[in-house]
Amino acid sequence: MAAATLRSAAAAAATRVRQGGGLRRLGTAAEAEREGGARWELSAAREYYDYRKSIYGDVTHRALLVDAVGTLVVPAQPTAQVYKNIGEKYGVTLSEDEILARYRRAYEQPWGRSRLRYVDDGRPFWQHIVTCSTGCSDLQYFEELYQYYMTEKAWKLCDPDAENVFKALRKAGVKTAVVSNFDTRLRPLLHVLKCDYWFDAVAVSAEVAAEKPNPTIFLKACELLGVKPEEAVHVGDDRRNDIWGARDAGCDAWLWGSDVHSFKEVAERIGVEVAK
């Protein structure tokens, strides 16, 4: 954790141990436990930062790996809403809530056609998901949905300041890669969103033939960047796929939305300051 982040963490910890008017009062056992936890977290963060710094210097990681959907980008509109709005002209009558429930059931079920969900362009898998979610098997409907999710209007960046951060990271010598469970649309999608040049490499499951949390995809990203796994940190929003998978590969890992909340915070934890 960089100095700015440590100061932020220290301030947060101090806030948790102050009660009204700057005076500490006697609290409950639960409050005392939380205060102790905050102090322990700050101490552990300092120790880990010092440990990394002693090995790698001020910049604690040589590479940053980033998850795509849910971390770098998110759908611009709820998926069920898109499925319903486009599907109405094809006879889809289900409500958004019904579509969402059916989508989740279909997505969580094992995909029996292959060991990977996303093979090549992923059409068979996504056609299965769309049909199960909406009850509509019209190929024109599926193709319109499929093409929509290749366009700029279908997605938005999670962090609007990400571009400046990635420029600062690369200027500081930190290599960057996207690591994603996705089909072959990912590369053209990153280009459409004008963020493909932020990254030195892309490791996409449809090309690597391994899906997170399989360590293979993280190891491939490290190979593409020319770094050792222990020199990289991966940031993603899924504890199982991103955190456990990356750590199994030997990488450091931070959970998006919990350990870090912006790419500026990611950069500061690595030791790279980002200009305002």
Side-chain angles (χ1 to χ4, degrees):
M1 194 180 293
T5 306
L6 285 172
R7 288 194 295 271
S8 175
T15 298
R16 288 193 285 269
V17 298
R18 288 198 301 266
Q19 301 289 338
L23 298 176
R24 191 183 188 283
R25 63 169 174 79
L26 293 176
T28 65
E31 288 173 335
E33 184 176 349
R34 284 196 296 271
E35 292 169 9
R39 292 192 189 96
W40 183 89
E41 288 172 6
L42 181 57
S43 175
R46 281 202 183 99
E47 287 180 11
Y48 183 68
Y49 175 65
D50 290 342
Y51 161 73
R52 295 283 314 188
K53 192 173 179 180
S54 70
I55 298 175
Y56 300 107
D58 290 339
V59 177
T60 59
H61 297 81
R62 289 187 59 208
L64 170 64
L65 315 180
V66 179
D67 167 52
V69 180
T71 306
L72 181 64
V73 298
V74 289
Q77 301 177 63
T79 300
Q81 182 183 104
V82 174
Y83 279 29
K84 182 179 187 299
N85 290 345
I86 294 179
E88 285 177 343
K89 62 185 175 184
Y90 296 98
V92 174
T93 58
L94 297 176
S95 69
E96 288 182 30
D97 287 344
E98 290 173 317
I99 291 172
L100 179 59
R102 291 167 65 122
Y103 177 96
R104 286 174 173 168
R105 282 199 300 271
Y107 199 88
E108 289 168 0
Q109 292 299 313
W111 172 236
R113 297 270 299 270
S114 107
R115 66 183 180 85
L116 300 174
R117 293 172 186 259
Y118 312 113
V119 176
D120 297 328
D121 62 12
R123 271 187 168 86
F125 173 72
W126 285 116
Q127 189 171 350
H128 166 74
I129 294 296
V130 170
T131 300
C132 290
S133 301
T134 64
C136 179
S137 58
D138 189 301
L139 291 180
Q140 284 185 300
Y141 169 47
F142 166 72
E143 195 60 31
E144 185 171 345
L145 273 177
Y146 186 87
Q147 294 298 328
Y148 168 79
Y149 280 107
M150 293 179 67
T151 65
E152 182 181 5
K153 64 182 179 180
W155 304 91
K156 62 181 180 181
L157 294 172
C158 287
D159 184 346
D161 297 323
E163 182 177 7
N164 289 335
V165 176
F166 281 101
K167 285 181 178 178
L169 285 165
R170 297 184 73 187
K171 185 177 180 180
V174 178
K175 297 183 178 181
T176 57
V178 175
V179 180
S180 177
N181 288 349
F182 212 104
D183 53 60
T184 51
R185 290 176 294 174
L186 181 60
R187 292 177 186 275
L189 176 60
L190 294 175
H191 179 71
V192 166
L193 294 173
K194 299 179 176 63
C195 62
D196 54 333
Y197 70 95
W198 300 354
F199 302 99
D200 299 295
V202 176
V204 57
S205 61
E207 298 172 355
V208 178
E211 294 178 356
K212 298 182 294 184
N214 189 328
T216 299
I217 191 170
F218 298 99
L219 295 174
K220 182 62 177 180
C222 291
E223 177 188 330
L224 291 170
L225 295 178
V227 300
K228 299 175 183 177
E230 61 268 24
E231 296 174 325
V233 59
H234 176 72
V235 176
D237 68 316
D238 188 295
R239 190 174 300 278
R240 177 178 179 272
N241 286 347
D242 293 306
I243 306 307
W244 297 353
R247 288 175 179 167
D248 278 349
C251 302
D252 202 355
W254 300 330
L255 185 64
W256 181 262
S258 178
D259 298 323
V260 290
H261 300 82
S262 69
F263 284 113
K264 183 178 181 181
E265 186 178 355
V266 170
E268 288 177 343
R269 288 190 66 166
I270 290 173
V272 174
E273 296 294 333
V274 180
K276 295 181 179 179

